[in-house]
Amino acid sequence: MDAKDRQIIWALQEEGRLSNQDLSERVSLSPSPCLRRVRLLEDSGVIRGYTAIVDEEAYGLPITAFVRIRLERHSKASVSAFEQKVRTLDAIQDCYVMTGEADYLLRVLVKSLKDYEQFVRNQLHNIEGVAAIDTSFAYGTVKRSTVFPKV
Amino acid sequence: MDAKDRQIIWALQEEGRLSNQDLSERVSLSPSPCLRRVRLLEDSGVIRGYTAIVDEEAYGLPITAFVRIRLERHSKASVSAFEQKVRTLDAIQDCYVMTGEADYLLRVLVKSLKDYEQFVRNQLHNIEGVAAIDTSFAYGTVKRSTVFPKV
DNA sequence: GACATATTGGCAGGTTCTGCCAATTTTTCG
DNA sequence: CGAAAAATTGGCAGAACCTGCCAATATGTC
């Protein structure tokens, strides 16, 4: 991955639907080698895909919760049961395995506090081996970037 | 925003570069009304943009840190100085204003622990009025979804 | 039930995509 | 240094796609 590939990546992180023609101009290439590089980045898994960025509130999910979770034990069975369940829960946007106090950090999107209560009661507490759940809500966002730091 | 709009959003969250033709097929519309709906969603700000999803590790940023930050005081000056600085720091991908112990939660991307140390020492500790910094690292990810919960 | 409004589908000219090949640039190695 | 090999680039052209316009259909209202 050279400087040109990084330029392509930044451009597509900023504007994921850039036409190949515009992209090629922006990175000072002609369309064909530009397209070839994009395909290579896609096929090699550097670019994993593309997505629309949607306003949570406008869509109807105004509440973002960050949930720290600790498991009682860390047996293979316990861990994989938890992770399996996480993958099936649509409200959970992200789940990271963490260092420190908590084992997991979730980012959860819900439409109301009532919904969040239901989610914790019916879904999270339902999972075997969850020892502790600690929620913080996001009042708002200062920054959400889709572009990686440049060099 | 009706059911069709939501279908369009889900499809574009899953596959942000879907051609209008394919998209229209997927949501059972002909291309023109489909495009019109997409443009409306874009112009009204529901769809805020599009982005390429890039593999952090393949790009060369294998370390994700979540940083909880507390300010000493919450005066307008103090808060806006902090938030201003956050916006200029490229390593900070996201910054949320939080309820609970911490005032802010950052998601930070760096290429090494050494880099992270530099980042904290030179950038974060440099900001006036930061009372406490508490970092947790992500070992890995269980799930990262780009699609909002359906219904 | 009739009118008004909103939404849809088809069409067509213009644009963009994308695979192929020759030309150019970069790298390798004697 | 210089020649051969490898990688990368640009141009081309047929195919696919975009997108604004208009008539037709569907939806909602009184």
Side-chain angles (χ1 to χ4, degrees), chain B residues 30-72:
Chain B
S30 70
S32 5
C34 184
L35 184 63
R36 196 131 15 94
R37 279 170 179 270
V38 172
R39 291 288 173 266
L40 272 176
L41 289 168
E42 288 168 358
D43 294 347
S44 67
V46 178
I47 294 179
R48 284 215 302 257
Y50 301 87
T51 188
I53 300 158
V54 178
D55 190 277
E56 285 96 339
E57 208 163 337
Y59 177 88
L61 295 167
I63 295 181
T64 297
F66 284 92
V67 188
R68 282 185 295 282
I69 289 186
R70 212 151 37 78
L71 297 187
E72 278 160 8

Side-chain angles (χ1 to χ4, degrees), chain A residues 80-145:
Chain A
S80 90
F82 176 80
E83 299 188 356
Q84 210 56 52
K85 189 68 196 275
V86 161
R87 288 194 199 93
T88 69
L89 293 175
D90 286 350
I92 300 175
Q93 294 290 110
D94 304 325
C95 173
Y96 293 89
V97 187
M98 300 300 291
T99 67
E101 296 289 291
D103 295 317
Y104 296 98
L105 176 65
L106 314 181
R107 181 168 62 91
V108 177
L109 243 40
V110 289
K111 73 167 193 287
S112 66
L113 277 182
K114 189 160 288 192
D115 260 43
Y116 184 71
E117 188 201 353
Q118 295 300 314
F119 169 77
V120 172
R121 288 198 177 197
N122 301 337
Q123 308 299 337
L124 291 189
H125 274 138
N126 226 5
I127 307 174
E128 270 302 305
V130 168
I133 295 175
D134 176 12
T135 301
S136 302
F137 293 100
Y139 278 132
T141 60
V142 175
K143 174 183 194 170
R144 296 189 68 176
S145 173

